[in-house]
PDB file of all heavy atoms in Angstrom:
ATOM      1  N   ALA A  10      19.672  16.695   7.773  1.00  0.00           N
ATOM      2  CA  ALA A  10      20.193  15.306   7.859  1.00  0.00           C
ATOM      3  C   ALA A  10      18.873  14.364   7.954  1.00  0.00           C
ATOM      4  O   ALA A  10      19.022  13.100   7.787  1.00  0.00           O
ATOM      5  CB  ALA A  10      20.790  15.032   9.129  1.00  0.00           C
ATOM      6  N   GLY A  11      17.767  14.928   7.988  1.00  0.00           N
ATOM      7  CA  GLY A  11      16.491  14.073   8.276  1.00  0.00           C
ATOM      8  C   GLY A  11      15.901  13.721   6.968  1.00  0.00           C
ATOM      9  O   GLY A  11      16.377  13.967   5.687  1.00  0.00           O
ATOM     10  N   TYR A  12      15.000  12.819   6.959  1.00  0.00           N
ATOM     11  CA  TYR A  12      14.205  12.280   5.829  1.00  0.00           C
ATOM     12  C   TYR A  12      13.687  13.493   4.885  1.00  0.00           C
ATOM     13  O   TYR A  12      13.724  13.351   3.748  1.00  0.00           O
ATOM     14  CB  TYR A  12      13.051  11.261   6.248  1.00  0.00           C
ATOM     15  CG  TYR A  12      13.657  10.007   6.808  1.00  0.00           C
ATOM     16  CD1 TYR A  12      13.047   9.510   7.897  1.00  0.00           C
ATOM     17  CD2 TYR A  12      14.585   9.278   6.163  1.00  0.00           C
ATOM     18  CE1 TYR A  12      13.514   8.173   8.417  1.00  0.00           C
ATOM     19  CE2 TYR A  12      15.071   8.063   6.628  1.00  0.00           C
ATOM     20  CZ  TYR A  12      14.409   7.605   7.796  1.00  0.00           C
ATOM     21  OH  TYR A  12      14.956   6.325   8.282  1.00  0.00           O
ATOM     22  N   THR A  13      12.889  14.252   5.481  1.00  0.00           N
ATOM     23  CA  THR A  13      12.157  15.379   4.701  1.00  0.00           C
ATOM     24  C   THR A  13      13.249  16.303   4.012  1.00  0.00           C
ATOM     25  O   THR A  13      13.075  16.568   2.844  1.00  0.00           O
ATOM     26  CB  THR A  13      11.187  16.225   5.607  1.00  0.00           C
ATOM     27  OG1 THR A  13      11.915  16.857   6.686  1.00  0.00           O
ATOM     28  CG2 THR A  13      10.180  15.442   6.086  1.00  0.00           C
ATOM     29  N   ALA A  14      14.352  16.442   4.628  1.00  0.00           N
ATOM     30  CA  ALA A  14      15.473  17.293   3.942  1.00  0.00           C
ATOM     31  C   ALA A  14      16.002  16.536   2.904  1.00  0.00           C
ATOM     32  O   ALA A  14      16.324  17.070   1.809  1.00  0.00           O
ATOM     33  CB  ALA A  14      16.489  17.711   4.971  1.00  0.00           C
ATOM     34  N   GLY A  15      16.243  15.284   3.037  1.00  0.00           N
ATOM     35  CA  GLY A  15      16.791  14.511   2.010  1.00  0.00           C
ATOM     36  C   GLY A  15      15.930  14.403   0.741  1.00  0.00           C
ATOM     37  O   GLY A  15      16.330  14.557  -0.239  1.00  0.00           O
ATOM     38  N   GLU A  16      14.533  14.162   0.970  1.00  0.00           N
ATOM     39  CA  GLU A  16      13.663  14.281  -0.012  1.00  0.00           C
ATOM     40  C   GLU A  16      13.512  15.624  -0.718  1.00  0.00           C
ATOM     41  O   GLU A  16      13.445  15.811  -1.960  1.00  0.00           O
ATOM     42  CB  GLU A  16      12.227  13.835   0.358  1.00  0.00           C
ATOM     43  CG  GLU A  16      12.068  12.406   0.769  1.00  0.00           C
ATOM     44  CD  GLU A  16      12.264  11.472  -0.522  1.00  0.00           C
ATOM     45  OE1 GLU A  16      11.289  11.313  -1.259  1.00  0.00           O
ATOM     46  OE2 GLU A  16      13.341  11.025  -0.825  1.00  0.00           O
ATOM     47  N   LEU A  17      13.741  16.670   0.079  1.00  0.00           N
ATOM     48  CA  LEU A  17      13.599  18.048  -0.468  1.00  0.00           C
ATOM     49  C   LEU A  17      14.849  18.350  -1.412  1.00  0.00           C
ATOM     50  O   LEU A  17      14.634  18.814  -2.485  1.00  0.00           O
ATOM     51  CB  LEU A  17      13.684  19.027   0.700  1.00  0.00           C
ATOM     52  CG  LEU A  17      13.571  20.514   0.468  1.00  0.00           C
ATOM     53  CD1 LEU A  17      12.179  20.834  -0.186  1.00  0.00           C
ATOM     54  CD2 LEU A  17      13.675  21.337   1.676  1.00  0.00           C
ATOM     55  N   MET A  18      15.979  17.858  -0.949  1.00  0.00           N
ATOM     56  CA  MET A  18      17.150  18.147  -1.737  1.00  0.00           C
ATOM     57  C   MET A  18      17.096  17.288  -3.064  1.00  0.00           C
ATOM     58  O   MET A  18      17.604  17.790  -4.042  1.00  0.00           O
ATOM     59  CB  MET A  18      18.495  17.778  -0.857  1.00  0.00           C
ATOM     60  CG  MET A  18      18.802  18.903  -0.071  1.00  0.00           C
ATOM     61  SD  MET A  18      20.344  18.587   0.933  1.00  0.00           S
ATOM     62  CE  MET A  18      19.772  17.477   2.216  1.00  0.00           C
ATOM     63  N   ARG A  19      16.533  16.183  -2.967  1.00  0.00           N
ATOM     64  CA  ARG A  19      16.405  15.293  -4.200  1.00  0.00           C
ATOM     65  C   ARG A  19      15.625  16.053  -5.194  1.00  0.00           C
ATOM     66  O   ARG A  19      15.782  15.907  -6.427  1.00  0.00           O
ATOM     67  CB  ARG A  19      15.772  13.912  -3.859  1.00  0.00           C
ATOM     68  CG  ARG A  19      15.500  13.091  -5.036  1.00  0.00           C
ATOM     69  CD  ARG A  19      15.274  11.705  -4.557  1.00  0.00           C
ATOM     70  NE  ARG A  19      13.957  11.563  -3.996  1.00  0.00           N
ATOM     71  CZ  ARG A  19      12.805  11.318  -4.707  1.00  0.00           C
ATOM     72  NH1 ARG A  19      12.843  11.123  -6.015  1.00  0.00           N
ATOM     73  NH2 ARG A  19      11.649  11.211  -4.119  1.00  0.00           N
ATOM     74  N   LEU A  20      14.415  16.719  -4.725  1.00  0.00           N
ATOM     75  CA  LEU A  20      13.728  17.567  -5.692  1.00  0.00           C
ATOM     76  C   LEU A  20      14.333  18.728  -6.148  1.00  0.00           C
ATOM     77  O   LEU A  20      14.222  19.079  -7.362  1.00  0.00           O
ATOM     78  CB  LEU A  20      12.351  17.826  -4.870  1.00  0.00           C
ATOM     79  CG  LEU A  20      11.405  16.638  -4.427  1.00  0.00           C
ATOM     80  CD1 LEU A  20      10.331  17.222  -3.568  1.00  0.00           C
ATOM     81  CD2 LEU A  20      10.850  15.951  -5.642  1.00  0.00           C
ATOM     82  N   LEU A  21      14.911  19.549  -5.137  1.00  0.00           N
ATOM     83  CA  LEU A  21      15.477  20.861  -5.572  1.00  0.00           C
ATOM     84  C   LEU A  21      16.703  20.707  -6.428  1.00  0.00           C
ATOM     85  O   LEU A  21      16.933  21.557  -7.292  1.00  0.00           O
ATOM     86  CB  LEU A  21      15.983  21.548  -4.282  1.00  0.00           C
ATOM     87  CG  LEU A  21      14.789  22.005  -3.298  1.00  0.00           C
ATOM     88  CD1 LEU A  21      15.479  22.526  -2.026  1.00  0.00           C
ATOM     89  CD2 LEU A  21      13.832  23.011  -4.023  1.00  0.00           C
ATOM     90  N   VAL A  22      17.566  19.703  -6.353  1.00  0.00           N
ATOM     91  CA  VAL A  22      18.724  19.556  -7.167  1.00  0.00           C
ATOM     92  C   VAL A  22      18.296  19.306  -8.708  1.00  0.00           C
ATOM     93  O   VAL A  22      19.062  19.694  -9.687  1.00  0.00           O
ATOM     94  CB  VAL A  22      19.516  18.430  -6.667  1.00  0.00           C
ATOM     95  CG1 VAL A  22      19.126  17.075  -7.121  1.00  0.00           C
ATOM     96  CG2 VAL A  22      21.012  18.625  -7.166  1.00  0.00           C
ATOM     97  N   HIS A  23      17.092  18.752  -8.872  1.00  0.00           N
ATOM     98  CA  HIS A  23      16.580  18.605 -10.306  1.00  0.00           C
ATOM     99  C   HIS A  23      15.496  19.588 -10.685  1.00  0.00           C
ATOM    100  O   HIS A  23      15.099  19.576 -11.797  1.00  0.00           O
ATOM    101  CB  HIS A  23      15.922  17.190 -10.434  1.00  0.00           C
ATOM    102  CG  HIS A  23      16.858  16.071 -10.207  1.00  0.00           C
ATOM    103  ND1 HIS A  23      17.990  15.881 -11.137  1.00  0.00           N
ATOM    104  CD2 HIS A  23      16.969  15.094  -9.186  1.00  0.00           C
ATOM    105  CE1 HIS A  23      18.534  14.813 -10.828  1.00  0.00           C
ATOM    106  NE2 HIS A  23      18.082  14.433  -9.640  1.00  0.00           N
ATOM    107  N   HIS A  24      15.223  20.607  -9.881  1.00  0.00           N
ATOM    108  CA  HIS A  24      14.310  21.735 -10.128  1.00  0.00           C
ATOM    109  C   HIS A  24      14.984  22.676 -10.978  1.00  0.00           C
ATOM    110  O   HIS A  24      16.021  23.171 -10.789  1.00  0.00           O
ATOM    111  CB  HIS A  24      13.807  22.380  -8.815  1.00  0.00           C
ATOM    112  CG  HIS A  24      12.596  23.189  -8.869  1.00  0.00           C
ATOM    113  ND1 HIS A  24      12.654  24.412  -9.626  1.00  0.00           N
ATOM    114  CD2 HIS A  24      11.398  23.115  -8.478  1.00  0.00           C
ATOM    115  CE1 HIS A  24      11.435  24.991  -9.513  1.00  0.00           C
ATOM    116  NE2 HIS A  24      10.665  24.149  -8.811  1.00  0.00           N
ATOM    117  N   PRO A  25      14.383  23.154 -12.074  1.00  0.00           N
ATOM    118  CA  PRO A  25      15.039  23.840 -13.106  1.00  0.00           C
ATOM    119  C   PRO A  25      15.184  25.345 -12.624  1.00  0.00           C
ATOM    120  O   PRO A  25      16.007  26.113 -13.277  1.00  0.00           O
ATOM    121  CB  PRO A  25      14.001  23.920 -14.268  1.00  0.00           C
ATOM    122  CG  PRO A  25      12.760  23.631 -13.771  1.00  0.00           C
ATOM    123  CD  PRO A  25      12.978  22.754 -12.629  1.00  0.00           C
ATOM    124  N   ASN A  26      14.567  25.775 -11.567  1.00  0.00           N
ATOM    125  CA  ASN A  26      14.528  27.221 -11.121  1.00  0.00           C
ATOM    126  C   ASN A  26      15.265  27.375  -9.780  1.00  0.00           C
ATOM    127  O   ASN A  26      15.129  28.423  -9.122  1.00  0.00           O
ATOM    128  CB  ASN A  26      13.137  27.778 -11.137  1.00  0.00           C
ATOM    129  CG  ASN A  26      12.470  27.738 -12.437  1.00  0.00           C
ATOM    130  OD1 ASN A  26      11.628  26.819 -12.636  1.00  0.00           O
ATOM    131  ND2 ASN A  26      12.802  28.624 -13.299  1.00  0.00           N
ATOM    132  N   THR A  27      15.927  26.297  -9.209  1.00  0.00           N
ATOM    133  CA  THR A  27      16.487  26.469  -7.797  1.00  0.00           C
ATOM    134  C   THR A  27      17.914  26.253  -7.873  1.00  0.00           C
ATOM    135  O   THR A  27      18.404  25.249  -8.618  1.00  0.00           O
ATOM    136  CB  THR A  27      15.789  25.639  -6.813  1.00  0.00           C
ATOM    137  OG1 THR A  27      15.928  24.260  -7.228  1.00  0.00           O
ATOM    138  CG2 THR A  27      14.274  25.946  -6.706  1.00  0.00           C
ATOM    139  N   ASN A  28      18.692  26.804  -6.779  1.00  0.00           N
ATOM    140  CA  ASN A  28      20.002  26.418  -6.607  1.00  0.00           C
ATOM    141  C   ASN A  28      20.156  26.258  -5.100  1.00  0.00           C
ATOM    142  O   ASN A  28      19.673  27.140  -4.246  1.00  0.00           O
ATOM    143  CB  ASN A  28      20.973  27.483  -6.981  1.00  0.00           C
ATOM    144  CG  ASN A  28      22.417  27.184  -6.618  1.00  0.00           C
ATOM    145  OD1 ASN A  28      23.016  26.264  -7.141  1.00  0.00           O
ATOM    146  ND2 ASN A  28      23.005  28.036  -5.719  1.00  0.00           N
ATOM    147  N   ILE A  29      20.559  25.013  -4.662  1.00  0.00           N
ATOM    148  CA  ILE A  29      20.768  24.924  -3.130  1.00  0.00           C
ATOM    149  C   ILE A  29      21.974  25.715  -2.814  1.00  0.00           C
ATOM    150  O   ILE A  29      23.087  25.352  -2.965  1.00  0.00           O
ATOM    151  CB  ILE A  29      20.998  23.382  -2.863  1.00  0.00           C
ATOM    152  CG1 ILE A  29      19.671  22.642  -3.293  1.00  0.00           C
ATOM    153  CG2 ILE A  29      21.146  23.134  -1.309  1.00  0.00           C
ATOM    154  CD1 ILE A  29      19.811  21.185  -3.129  1.00  0.00           C
ATOM    155  N   ASN A  30      21.731  26.723  -1.952  1.00  0.00           N
ATOM    156  CA  ASN A  30      22.880  27.626  -1.496  1.00  0.00           C
ATOM    157  C   ASN A  30      23.554  27.056  -0.229  1.00  0.00           C
ATOM    158  O   ASN A  30      24.863  27.181  -0.343  1.00  0.00           O
ATOM    159  CB  ASN A  30      22.118  28.974  -1.236  1.00  0.00           C
ATOM    160  CG  ASN A  30      23.191  30.034  -0.892  1.00  0.00           C
ATOM    161  OD1 ASN A  30      23.822  30.034   0.149  1.00  0.00           O
ATOM    162  ND2 ASN A  30      23.337  30.893  -1.774  1.00  0.00           N
ATOM    163  N   PHE A  31      22.773  26.494   0.699  1.00  0.00           N
ATOM    164  CA  PHE A  31      23.469  25.976   1.761  1.00  0.00           C
ATOM    165  C   PHE A  31      22.618  24.890   2.454  1.00  0.00           C
ATOM    166  O   PHE A  31      21.302  24.995   2.363  1.00  0.00           O
ATOM    167  CB  PHE A  31      23.939  27.069   2.915  1.00  0.00           C
ATOM    168  CG  PHE A  31      22.948  27.619   3.577  1.00  0.00           C
ATOM    169  CD1 PHE A  31      22.360  27.025   4.911  1.00  0.00           C
ATOM    170  CD2 PHE A  31      22.242  28.915   3.186  1.00  0.00           C
ATOM    171  CE1 PHE A  31      21.300  27.729   5.569  1.00  0.00           C
ATOM    172  CE2 PHE A  31      21.246  29.375   3.919  1.00  0.00           C
ATOM    173  CZ  PHE A  31      20.777  28.852   5.094  1.00  0.00           C
ATOM    174  N   VAL A  32      23.055  23.952   3.116  1.00  0.00           N
ATOM    175  CA  VAL A  32      22.318  22.973   3.964  1.00  0.00           C
ATOM    176  C   VAL A  32      22.894  22.985   5.268  1.00  0.00           C
ATOM    177  O   VAL A  32      24.018  22.563   5.530  1.00  0.00           O
ATOM    178  CB  VAL A  32      22.340  21.583   3.309  1.00  0.00           C
ATOM    179  CG1 VAL A  32      21.541  20.619   4.081  1.00  0.00           C
ATOM    180  CG2 VAL A  32      21.875  21.750   1.911  1.00  0.00           C
ATOM    181  N   PHE A  33      22.163  23.412   6.328  1.00  0.00           N
ATOM    182  CA  PHE A  33      22.598  23.598   7.656  1.00  0.00           C
ATOM    183  C   PHE A  33      22.359  22.338   8.637  1.00  0.00           C
ATOM    184  O   PHE A  33      21.177  21.893   8.586  1.00  0.00           O
ATOM    185  CB  PHE A  33      21.795  24.794   8.223  1.00  0.00           C
ATOM    186  CG  PHE A  33      22.132  25.195   9.730  1.00  0.00           C
ATOM    187  CD1 PHE A  33      23.129  26.039   9.967  1.00  0.00           C
ATOM    188  CD2 PHE A  33      21.462  24.528  10.774  1.00  0.00           C
ATOM    189  CE1 PHE A  33      23.556  26.386  11.216  1.00  0.00           C
ATOM    190  CE2 PHE A  33      21.865  24.860  12.086  1.00  0.00           C
ATOM    191  CZ  PHE A  33      22.822  25.808  12.222  1.00  0.00           C
ATOM    192  N   SER A  34      23.321  21.815   9.062  1.00  0.00           N
ATOM    193  CA  SER A  34      23.220  20.693  10.069  1.00  0.00           C
ATOM    194  C   SER A  34      24.310  20.784  11.161  1.00  0.00           C
ATOM    195  O   SER A  34      25.590  20.591  10.651  1.00  0.00           O
ATOM    196  CB  SER A  34      23.218  19.428   9.337  1.00  0.00           C
ATOM    197  OG  SER A  34      23.329  18.220  10.244  1.00  0.00           O
ATOM    198  N   THR A  35      24.110  21.108  12.261  1.00  0.00           N
ATOM    199  CA  THR A  35      25.208  21.220  13.287  1.00  0.00           C
ATOM    200  C   THR A  35      25.855  19.862  13.607  1.00  0.00           C
ATOM    201  O   THR A  35      27.138  19.859  13.888  1.00  0.00           O
ATOM    202  CB  THR A  35      24.561  21.765  14.603  1.00  0.00           C
ATOM    203  OG1 THR A  35      23.607  20.986  15.013  1.00  0.00           O
ATOM    204  CG2 THR A  35      24.235  23.235  14.387  1.00  0.00           C
ATOM    205  N   SER A  36      25.134  18.843  13.484  1.00  0.00           N
ATOM    206  CA  SER A  36      25.647  17.510  13.796  1.00  0.00           C
ATOM    207  C   SER A  36      26.581  16.914  12.595  1.00  0.00           C
ATOM    208  O   SER A  36      27.357  15.931  12.769  1.00  0.00           O
ATOM    209  CB  SER A  36      24.650  16.499  14.154  1.00  0.00           C
ATOM    210  OG  SER A  36      23.631  16.384  13.083  1.00  0.00           O
ATOM    211  N   ASN A  37      26.481  17.556  11.400  1.00  0.00           N
ATOM    212  CA  ASN A  37      27.081  16.998  10.205  1.00  0.00           C
ATOM    213  C   ASN A  37      27.998  17.978   9.624  1.00  0.00           C
ATOM    214  O   ASN A  37      28.315  17.737   8.433  1.00  0.00           O
ATOM    215  CB  ASN A  37      26.063  16.429   9.174  1.00  0.00           C
ATOM    216  CG  ASN A  37      25.480  15.038   9.662  1.00  0.00           C
ATOM    217  OD1 ASN A  37      26.106  14.083   9.408  1.00  0.00           O
ATOM    218  ND2 ASN A  37      24.242  15.153  10.130  1.00  0.00           N
ATOM    219  N   ALA A  38      28.137  19.139  10.201  1.00  0.00           N
ATOM    220  CA  ALA A  38      28.869  20.334   9.607  1.00  0.00           C
ATOM    221  C   ALA A  38      30.242  19.725   9.078  1.00  0.00           C
ATOM    222  O   ALA A  38      30.988  19.186   9.754  1.00  0.00           O
ATOM    223  CB  ALA A  38      29.120  21.431  10.482  1.00  0.00           C
ATOM    224  N   GLY A  39      30.657  20.063   7.721  1.00  0.00           N
ATOM    225  CA  GLY A  39      31.730  19.653   7.147  1.00  0.00           C
ATOM    226  C   GLY A  39      31.664  18.186   6.426  1.00  0.00           C
ATOM    227  O   GLY A  39      32.656  17.997   5.521  1.00  0.00           O
ATOM    228  N   ASN A  40      30.753  17.515   6.693  1.00  0.00           N
ATOM    229  CA  ASN A  40      30.497  16.246   5.931  1.00  0.00           C
ATOM    230  C   ASN A  40      29.862  16.387   4.568  1.00  0.00           C
ATOM    231  O   ASN A  40      28.942  17.362   4.570  1.00  0.00           O
ATOM    232  CB  ASN A  40      29.748  15.267   6.771  1.00  0.00           C
ATOM    233  CG  ASN A  40      30.473  14.835   8.060  1.00  0.00           C
ATOM    234  OD1 ASN A  40      31.679  14.833   8.045  1.00  0.00           O
ATOM    235  ND2 ASN A  40      29.691  14.697   9.091  1.00  0.00           N
ATOM    236  N   LYS A  41      30.138  15.567   3.673  1.00  0.00           N
ATOM    237  CA  LYS A  41      29.387  15.738   2.346  1.00  0.00           C
ATOM    238  C   LYS A  41      27.980  15.200   2.625  1.00  0.00           C
ATOM    239  O   LYS A  41      27.697  14.209   3.240  1.00  0.00           O
ATOM    240  CB  LYS A  41      30.077  14.766   1.415  1.00  0.00           C
ATOM    241  CG  LYS A  41      31.527  15.237   0.971  1.00  0.00           C
ATOM    242  CD  LYS A  41      32.028  14.414  -0.242  1.00  0.00           C
ATOM    243  CE  LYS A  41      31.331  14.760  -1.588  1.00  0.00           C
ATOM    244  NZ  LYS A  41      31.937  14.309  -2.710  1.00  0.00           N
ATOM    245  N   ILE A  42      27.006  15.894   2.016  1.00  0.00           N
ATOM    246  CA  ILE A  42      25.740  15.609   2.179  1.00  0.00           C
ATOM    247  C   ILE A  42      25.427  14.192   1.543  1.00  0.00           C
ATOM    248  O   ILE A  42      24.597  13.424   2.183  1.00  0.00           O
ATOM    249  CB  ILE A  42      24.816  16.675   1.352  1.00  0.00           C
ATOM    250  CG1 ILE A  42      24.923  17.988   2.008  1.00  0.00           C
ATOM    251  CG2 ILE A  42      23.371  16.165   1.053  1.00  0.00           C
ATOM    252  CD1 ILE A  42      24.375  19.110   1.272  1.00  0.00           C
ATOM    253  N   SER A  43      26.227  13.745   0.617  1.00  0.00           N
ATOM    254  CA  SER A  43      25.915  12.514   0.014  1.00  0.00           C
ATOM    255  C   SER A  43      26.393  11.271   0.811  1.00  0.00           C
ATOM    256  O   SER A  43      26.061  10.225   0.609  1.00  0.00           O
ATOM    257  CB  SER A  43      26.627  12.391  -1.381  1.00  0.00           C
ATOM    258  OG  SER A  43      27.977  12.636  -1.278  1.00  0.00           O
ATOM    259  N   LYS A  44      27.129  11.654   1.947  1.00  0.00           N
ATOM    260  CA  LYS A  44      27.360  10.556   2.962  1.00  0.00           C
ATOM    261  C   LYS A  44      26.221  10.264   3.762  1.00  0.00           C
ATOM    262  O   LYS A  44      26.127   9.105   4.291  1.00  0.00           O
ATOM    263  CB  LYS A  44      28.655  10.980   3.665  1.00  0.00           C
ATOM    264  CG  LYS A  44      29.952  10.936   3.036  1.00  0.00           C
ATOM    265  CD  LYS A  44      31.160  11.177   3.943  1.00  0.00           C
ATOM    266  CE  LYS A  44      31.333  10.089   4.900  1.00  0.00           C
ATOM    267  NZ  LYS A  44      31.893   8.837   4.181  1.00  0.00           N
ATOM    268  N   VAL A  45      25.344  11.219   3.976  1.00  0.00           N
ATOM    269  CA  VAL A  45      24.062  11.009   4.731  1.00  0.00           C
ATOM    270  C   VAL A  45      22.953  10.547   3.768  1.00  0.00           C
ATOM    271  O   VAL A  45      22.317   9.510   4.040  1.00  0.00           O
ATOM    272  CB  VAL A  45      23.754  12.316   5.498  1.00  0.00           C
ATOM    273  CG1 VAL A  45      22.386  12.095   6.229  1.00  0.00           C
ATOM    274  CG2 VAL A  45      24.779  12.481   6.615  1.00  0.00           C
ATOM    275  N   HIS A  46      22.726  11.359   2.742  1.00  0.00           N
ATOM    276  CA  HIS A  46      21.701  11.034   1.766  1.00  0.00           C
ATOM    277  C   HIS A  46      22.483  10.414   0.594  1.00  0.00           C
ATOM    278  O   HIS A  46      22.777  11.163  -0.378  1.00  0.00           O
ATOM    279  CB  HIS A  46      21.080  12.316   1.318  1.00  0.00           C
ATOM    280  CG  HIS A  46      20.423  13.033   2.589  1.00  0.00           C
ATOM    281  ND1 HIS A  46      19.356  12.459   3.194  1.00  0.00           N
ATOM    282  CD2 HIS A  46      20.757  14.287   3.302  1.00  0.00           C
ATOM    283  CE1 HIS A  46      19.056  13.339   4.247  1.00  0.00           C
ATOM    284  NE2 HIS A  46      19.785  14.384   4.185  1.00  0.00           N
ATOM    285  N   GLN A  47      22.554   9.082   0.712  1.00  0.00           N
ATOM    286  CA  GLN A  47      23.444   8.424  -0.314  1.00  0.00           C
ATOM    287  C   GLN A  47      22.798   8.165  -1.663  1.00  0.00           C
ATOM    288  O   GLN A  47      23.480   7.855  -2.598  1.00  0.00           O
ATOM    289  CB  GLN A  47      23.837   7.060   0.356  1.00  0.00           C
ATOM    290  CG  GLN A  47      24.636   7.125   1.562  1.00  0.00           C
ATOM    291  CD  GLN A  47      24.917   5.801   2.129  1.00  0.00           C
ATOM    292  OE1 GLN A  47      24.798   4.663   1.628  1.00  0.00           O
ATOM    293  NE2 GLN A  47      25.495   5.876   3.436  1.00  0.00           N
TER     294      GLN A  47
END
């Protein structure tokens, strides 16, 4: 849910060699990632 994770996902989702398998956050479990990182 933090700033560095948001930036990291922004990079990884466009990286040609990576797939985001899971994003762990106990405080946001079940919520869409795009609700936090809009």
Side-chain angles (χ1 to χ4, degrees):
Y12 288 134
T13 57
E16 287 296 276
L17 183 63
M18 285 184 274
R19 181 170 69 90
L20 296 174
L21 293 173
V22 77
H23 294 294
H24 193 291
N26 300 102
T27 60
N28 177 63
I29 301 175
N30 187 283
F31 73 90
V32 179
F33 181 91
S34 173
T35 53
S36 61
N37 285 282
N40 294 328
K41 293 189 72 171
I42 290 170
S43 58
K44 287 188 71 69
V45 174
H46 301 293
Q47 296 180 8

